[in-house]
Amino acid sequence: MTITLDDVLQITGLSITGKILDGSSAIKREEASKLLQEGLGLDKNVVEQELERCKGGDCIIQTDWIKENFKGKENVEDDGKVDCAVRAYLMYMIGCVLLPDKSGTMMSASYMRFLLDISKIHEYAWGASALAYLYRQMGFSSRCDVKQLAGYLPLLEVWVYEHFPIAKGILNPNYVEEMPRMRRWKAWAGSGRSLGDRVCDFRQELDLLTPQS
């Protein structure tokens, strides 16, 4: 049983049609700097300082850096500034939600390539891209020396709720079919038991599953 594109559309409401994002982040620092300056409308020195501060690579930035540069902005009539704010919001969403790495705080500046032309953003298959990225990260996490999983984990979590009888989430009584499927479930409220105890319970139930179940 695998997560399908139909699952993605139903669970997230994201588009699965259009162009898949090129996941390659192999861009040079000079290109990364130009992308960020053009897309976010920030001064070259501000961008260069961030690229220098992030030692993970020449094209890596922090999601908090985007937040700090755009939080608290007042509404403006300048369309150029509005577009920059839109790109900043979408970059933040990509780095924190759709395509996060294991740190949850760092992201590649290369994603700005898909946001420069705002009129074409809808042409990309964001849902399918998030699924492909999650599949790749699940492959990495299956290795014995890897202890963390990156990717759009709410997608995986809700899929588990849908298909594994031992891991039912809490139903949202306000859910209606027009909502994304993940809105069907509410955050787990807790039972007073420790996380370790709950993990042991789930492991025991998983061990008892049969091929038929």
Side-chain angles (χ1 to χ4, degrees):
M1 184 183 296
T2 59
I3 305 174
T4 67
L5 290 180
D6 286 339
D7 289 328
V8 176
L9 182 60
Q10 190 176 52
I11 291 172
T12 67
L14 292 169
S15 172
I16 61 171
T17 60
K19 297 177 287 187
I20 300 291
L21 273 64
D22 174 10
S24 173
S25 60
I27 62 174
K28 295 182 179 180
R29 175 164 171 168
E30 181 179 357
E31 181 184 356
S33 180
K34 289 181 179 180
L35 281 172
L36 294 173
Q37 291 175 56
E38 180 181 355
L40 300 178
L42 296 176
D43 183 78
K44 180 179 180 180
N45 290 334
V46 175
V47 172
E48 290 289 345
Q49 287 175 7
E50 175 62 14
L51 292 172
E52 178 65 28
R53 182 169 61 133
C54 296
K55 300 301 183 181
D58 285 346
C59 57
I60 300 298
I61 59 174
Q62 296 189 68
T63 53
D64 280 351
W65 174 75
I66 298 176
K67 184 177 179 180
E68 288 298 321
N69 278 282
F70 285 89
K71 71 176 183 180
K73 297 291 184 182
E74 298 292 336
N75 291 331
V76 295
E77 296 182 359
D78 186 330
D79 291 341
K81 291 183 178 179
V82 171
D83 288 350
C84 289
V86 169
R87 294 189 194 97
Y89 173 77
L90 293 175
M91 278 285 282
Y92 189 81
M93 289 293 292
I94 292 172
C96 292
V97 180
L98 288 182
L99 307 170
D101 66 6
K102 292 178 185 178
S103 73
T105 62
M106 311 290 284
M107 67 179 300
S108 171
S110 65
Y111 292 127
M112 183 58 73
R113 292 177 296 173
F114 310 108
L115 306 178
L116 285 181
D117 189 343
I118 291 180
S119 67
K120 294 184 178 181
I121 292 175
H122 70 283
E123 296 180 1
Y124 292 99
W126 296 99
S129 298
L131 176 61
Y133 183 81
L134 177 60
Y135 274 151
R136 188 182 185 198
Q137 296 301 320
M138 289 173 68
F140 291 152
S141 69
S142 67
R143 300 171 183 173
C144 63
D145 58 341
V146 177
K147 298 180 180 180
Q148 291 178 297
L149 174 62
Y152 189 21
L153 298 185
L155 173 61
L156 179 61
E157 181 180 358
V158 175
W159 178 82
V160 170
Y161 288 164
E162 295 276 344
H163 295 287
F164 282 68
I166 67 171
K168 290 297 182 184
I170 302 172
L171 290 174
N172 177 7
N174 299 317
Y175 173 78
V176 294
E177 290 296 330
E178 289 75 19
M179 295 178 178
R181 187 60 172 248
M182 65 192 327
R183 293 286 300 278
R184 185 182 181 191
W185 311 98
K186 295 177 63 177
W188 186 74
S191 64
R193 305 186 70 229
S194 71
L195 176 61
D197 288 341
R198 296 200 304 275
V199 170
C200 287
D201 291 342
F202 275 120
R203 284 176 174 167
Q204 290 175 1
E205 293 188 63
L206 284 170
D207 288 341
L208 293 175
L209 287 176
T210 65
Q212 289 72 30
S213 61

